[in-house]
Amino acid sequence: MLHRTAILWLILLVGLSWGMPLKAQVGIRNTADSLVSVFRSNRYDECDTSKFNLLKKICDLYMSLNVDSSCYYSQILYDESKRCGDAKYILIGCEKLNDSYFYQGDYDKCGDIAFEGLAIASELGDKRTMASFYSSIGTSYGMRANASLADEYWNKSYNIYAQLNDTNRMVAVMNNMAINALNNDMFDVAESYADTTLYLCKSTDNKTSLAECYFIKAGVLASRYDFEDTGENVDILKRSIDYFYISREISLSDIEVFDIAKCNIYIAQNYVELSGVQKSRSKELLDSCEILLDGAYRICVRNGFDSLLDMYKNSRLAWLIKKHKYQEAKVYLDSLYAEYSANIENHGVEIEDTYNWYAELYSEMKDYKEAYNYSKKFHLMYRHNRQNDFAAKSATNMAQTHFDLQMQARERENLAKQLQYEANSKMLIIILAASAIILLILGYSFWKSRKANHMLDEKNAELEQQKEEVLTINENLENQRDLLRKVNSQITDSINYASLIQNAALPSTKILSETLGEHFVFFRPKDIVSGDFYWLSQKNGYIFVVLGDCTGHGVPGACMSMIGIRILSELITEQKYA
């Protein structure tokens, strides 16, 4: 049986330490340990950038070896850079913590730190890092089975990478979207994404990405196979095998042993399925399957690819049963059952699968009594696991709700920061404009004064007359100024009184509390009086709540709001609307 979720799980493992030879891991660990010794033996100033750069290297090295260690040093980098107030390194600390939390499976913390990093990257105008955090938030939602929000943030990430013309990142994000669609049984959407990423991969020189794109395309096709012996199903399976082979050939040319073993296992799985519908080629397909599985097993053992060995075991069992090597299959199953039974709390699903394999094996051996017994054990274990899954899902749903609330709060906080930034920018523009006007006035006054002084030297008599005129003008200006102040004060007082009238027309806090219970009202007029209003009435057992937005601001808007309130009162209260 081809397990779709297992395929997708293995896709996510590509590029991590599971795909790294053991010798390489030892070399990286030695380098990381030596850098840690350097970090601990030196005394650094609070804002020494060499300290931050060293911590960044340590985090990168440990990420491929020990996620907990990477998380520990990422936290130090984050705390130290925050203490210093260096936004650049705070952002790097957020990135490293985000990666660590993700691989630890702590998606709450992953989302929190991603939103914090997103806000900093936005302030710095760092679009590439913004896209990275959008992708990380999408992946966090995807891992928590929130498909719609995952797609929303992946789309934001994809659009930014498209603006930056970063094809490799576009491919990585869209591959996530394809996997998300496949996990939600949206096969057409998944195939569309897979075709798009394959097209993008062909335009780059990145062989690793190209191999992965072919692998995902093969996985999407394999997921469409429904185990029925039809021409269309056989064609789907063959096309899937072709794409797995292409992915394998690219990995061979680049000596990517993890990807080679991975493709071998899934080609072998497809060969097992194909042998069941193409009887004439059964021996040929199963012989090829044996060669592929042996090769994959040697690679896994040599390089310590434990995650692939779990998939290898299922493929080998399917092959043994198809080859009618029942005794060998039983011995293999017995060893797996003994291994899983030793830690049953953590291997409930594996034991469930083992019972299913036993039932299939005994059914092939025509020992239907044993097949029936194991089938019963399988169904009992299935129900037991689903009950545990239900309890876990309930807890997960509660955690998901908490996580969503945190994400919304973080988004509101980011929006508030953005609005504050825009308000500060507007205030700065106003101050600069006012300063320019004052300078112009001062310059003009200075020029006029110089001109008057020059005329005083030449024409004293005329100057005296002009002086009298200037005094008269000044007196008039002062009178006009006083008049303007008086008129302005009257207008402001009138508007303030109008504000009292408008507030009186709005529902009081007491009425709102009695009618709605727990509530809040955010009402902040732009120009003392507002063109917006809220209105409430209770009639015939119904509560009418209205939020109004009238044309204009200030006095015109306020007039419109009062008309709106009056019309609503006539419609609902005075005309006894039922």
Side-chain angles (χ1 to χ4, degrees):
M1 182 183 298
L2 188 65
H3 299 285
R4 184 177 78 229
T5 52
I7 291 175
L8 302 180
W9 176 65
L10 283 172
I11 289 172
L12 294 174
L13 296 180
V14 175
L16 301 179
S17 62
W18 293 285
M20 187 185 299
L22 291 175
K23 289 183 179 179
Q25 292 186 39
V26 172
I28 291 174
R29 181 175 295 280
N30 290 337
T31 304
D33 291 343
S34 65
L35 290 179
V36 169
S37 299
V38 171
F39 171 72
R40 290 177 175 173
S41 61
N42 288 340
R43 293 181 177 273
Y44 296 96
D45 294 335
E46 187 174 60
C47 295
D48 190 341
T49 57
S50 63
K51 171 181 66 175
F52 298 145
N53 289 325
L54 182 61
L55 283 168
K56 178 178 178 295
K57 290 179 182 177
I58 292 171
C59 294
D60 289 337
L61 290 169
Y62 274 129
M63 183 62 70
S64 60
L65 299 170
N66 187 315
V67 176
D68 292 338
S69 296
S70 178
C71 187
Y72 174 76
Y73 288 104
S74 297
Q75 188 67 53
I76 294 176
L77 172 58
Y78 174 80
D79 292 339
E80 291 291 322
S81 57
K82 255 203 161 178
R83 191 176 296 113
C84 177
D86 191 320
K88 173 186 173 183
Y89 287 101
I90 295 174
L91 187 60
I92 294 173
C94 287
E95 289 183 271
K96 301 307 171 189
L97 274 176
N98 178 68
D99 292 340
S100 300
Y101 289 148
F102 175 78
Y103 292 121
Q104 285 179 331
D106 193 338
Y107 305 120
D108 286 341
K109 290 183 179 179
C110 181
D112 281 344
I113 202 69
F115 272 107
E116 182 177 346
L118 181 61
I120 298 171
S122 178
E123 290 177 4
L124 296 176
D126 187 346
K127 287 192 172 183
R128 188 175 298 279
T129 306
M130 285 174 63
S132 175
F133 279 122
Y134 275 131
S135 178
S136 179
I137 294 168
T139 304
S140 296
Y141 276 120
M143 296 299 286
R144 301 173 74 84
N146 194 328
S148 59
L149 279 175
D151 262 352
E152 177 184 336
Y153 283 98
W154 278 327
N155 271 305
K156 290 180 181 180
S157 175
Y158 181 87
N159 290 335
I160 294 177
Y161 283 132
Q163 293 173 11
L164 299 173
N165 200 28
D166 190 337
T167 306
N168 288 329
R169 295 290 185 182
M170 290 164 64
V171 167
V173 173
M174 190 161 282
N175 277 343
N176 282 336
M177 295 167 75
I179 294 169
N180 190 43
L182 202 56
N183 279 335
N184 288 278
D185 296 329
M186 296 187 296
F187 300 113
D188 292 336
V189 174
E191 188 161 5
S192 173
Y193 285 146
D195 289 337
T196 302
T197 57
L198 193 54
Y199 173 79
L200 290 172
C201 282
K202 288 178 180 178
S203 65
T204 70
D205 295 327
N206 191 327
K207 288 187 177 180
T208 302
S209 291
L210 185 59
E212 199 57 40
C213 288
Y214 276 113
F215 185 84
I216 289 178
K217 176 68 175 177
V220 170
L221 287 172
S223 298
R224 286 184 173 276
Y225 178 67
D226 59 8
F227 308 102
E228 295 293 330
D229 184 7
T230 65
E232 183 180 358
N233 269 332
V234 171
D235 180 62
I236 288 173
L237 210 52
K238 286 181 177 178
R239 288 170 60 205
S240 173
I241 291 170
D242 289 341
Y243 281 117
F244 276 131
Y245 262 117
I246 295 172
S247 177
R248 180 175 177 270
E249 291 304 314
I250 296 171
S251 300
L252 280 168
S253 67
D254 217 25
I255 321 178
E256 295 286 348
V257 291
F258 181 83
D259 291 340
I260 294 167
K262 178 181 67 177
C263 289
N264 275 8
I265 291 171
Y266 287 108
I267 293 170
Q269 284 185 337
N270 282 2
Y271 274 162
V272 169
E273 299 298 340
L274 197 58
S275 69
V277 295
Q278 289 192 326
K279 304 295 185 184
S280 59
R281 296 185 58 210
S282 178
K283 185 179 184 306
E284 170 197 347
L285 293 169
L286 292 175
D287 288 345
S288 299
C289 178
E290 182 178 14
I291 295 169
L292 290 165
L293 288 175
D294 286 345
Y297 180 75
R298 286 194 298 271
I299 291 173
C300 291
V301 172
R302 188 183 305 121
N303 294 280
F305 297 156
D306 294 338
S307 57
L308 282 180
L309 278 174
D310 290 336
M311 297 306 303
Y312 163 82
K313 292 171 184 176
N314 282 333
S315 299
R316 181 167 180 80
L317 272 172
W319 174 76
L320 287 171
I321 292 173
K322 285 289 184 182
K323 286 285 286 185
H324 305 300
K325 295 186 176 184
Y326 301 133
Q327 193 56 40
E328 189 176 342
K330 185 178 182 306
V331 171
Y332 198 58
L333 265 177
D334 290 342
S335 66
L336 291 178
Y337 181 75
E339 176 186 343
Y340 297 144
S341 298
N343 189 4
I344 191 169
E345 290 183 0
N346 296 324
H347 291 95
V349 175
E350 287 83 356
I351 292 176
E352 175 191 321
D353 287 340
T354 304
Y355 285 150
N356 196 28
W357 280 114
Y358 271 123
E360 185 174 341
L361 173 63
Y362 281 116
S363 178
E364 289 287 330
M365 295 169 65
K366 300 192 176 0
D367 187 344
Y368 298 115
K369 181 179 179 181
E370 283 298 312
Y372 174 72
N373 288 335
Y374 277 106
S375 180
K376 283 202 304 184
K377 289 181 180 180
F378 164 74
H379 287 294
L380 287 171
M381 197 66 182
Y382 177 87
R383 284 196 294 271
H384 173 74
N385 287 336
R386 294 312 168 272
Q387 288 171 354
N388 291 341
D389 286 347
F390 178 77
K393 187 175 181 181
S394 298
T396 301
N397 287 339
M398 291 178 65
Q400 176 70 48
T401 302
H402 177 67
F403 177 76
D404 290 343
L405 290 173
Q406 286 183 322
M407 296 303 100
Q408 291 168 12
R410 183 70 68 177
E411 285 181 323
R412 288 194 296 271
E413 183 181 339
N414 290 340
L415 179 60
K417 288 182 179 179
Q418 185 177 353
L419 291 173
Q420 183 62 42
Y421 175 78
E422 292 175 356
N424 291 341
S425 300
K426 289 179 180 178
M427 183 60 68
L428 180 61
I429 292 171
I430 292 170
I431 292 171
L432 290 174
S435 300
I437 292 170
I438 292 171
L439 287 173
L440 286 172
I441 293 172
L442 290 173
Y444 173 74
S445 299
F446 179 74
W447 172 80
K448 188 174 180 179
S449 176
R450 286 290 301 272
K451 184 178 179 181
N453 288 334
H454 181 69
M455 292 179 70
L456 276 172
D457 293 336
E458 292 182 349
K459 300 179 181 180
N460 289 329
E462 185 180 349
L463 179 61
E464 288 297 325
Q465 183 181 356
Q466 288 179 352
K467 183 179 178 181
E468 291 297 328
E469 291 176 357
V470 168
L471 290 173
T472 302
I473 291 171
N474 285 339
E475 184 178 355
N476 290 336
L477 287 173
E478 288 177 358
N479 291 335
Q480 290 176 4
R481 181 194 63 192
D482 294 339
L483 179 61
L484 286 173
R485 283 179 176 174
K486 182 177 180 181
V487 170
N488 183 60
S489 176
Q490 290 173 347
I491 292 172
T492 302
D493 290 344
S494 178
I495 293 173
N496 284 329
Y497 192 75
S499 174
L500 293 176
I501 294 172
Q502 185 181 39
N503 286 334
L506 300 175
S508 67
T509 302
K510 180 180 178 182
I511 293 173
L512 290 171
S513 297
E514 290 175 352
T515 308
L516 301 178
E518 186 177 356
H519 72 281
F520 76 93
V521 177
F522 183 81
F523 181 68
R524 183 180 293 173
K526 178 176 178 292
D527 300 309
I528 302 177
V529 290
S530 174
D532 303 328
F533 70 91
Y534 56 96
W535 182 86
L536 179 143
S537 180
Q538 188 170 9
K539 197 72 176 176
N540 296 338
Y542 291 95
I543 297 174
F544 298 85
V545 180
V546 176
L547 301 179
D549 184 357
C550 300
T551 303
H553 299 286
V555 174
C559 291
M560 294 296 291
S561 73
M562 294 300 290
I563 292 170
I565 291 170
R566 180 59 188 164
I567 290 172
L568 286 169
S569 296
E570 289 179 358
L571 286 174
I572 304 299
T573 306
E574 296 178 11
Q575 295 185 19
K576 299 182 179 179
Y577 173 79

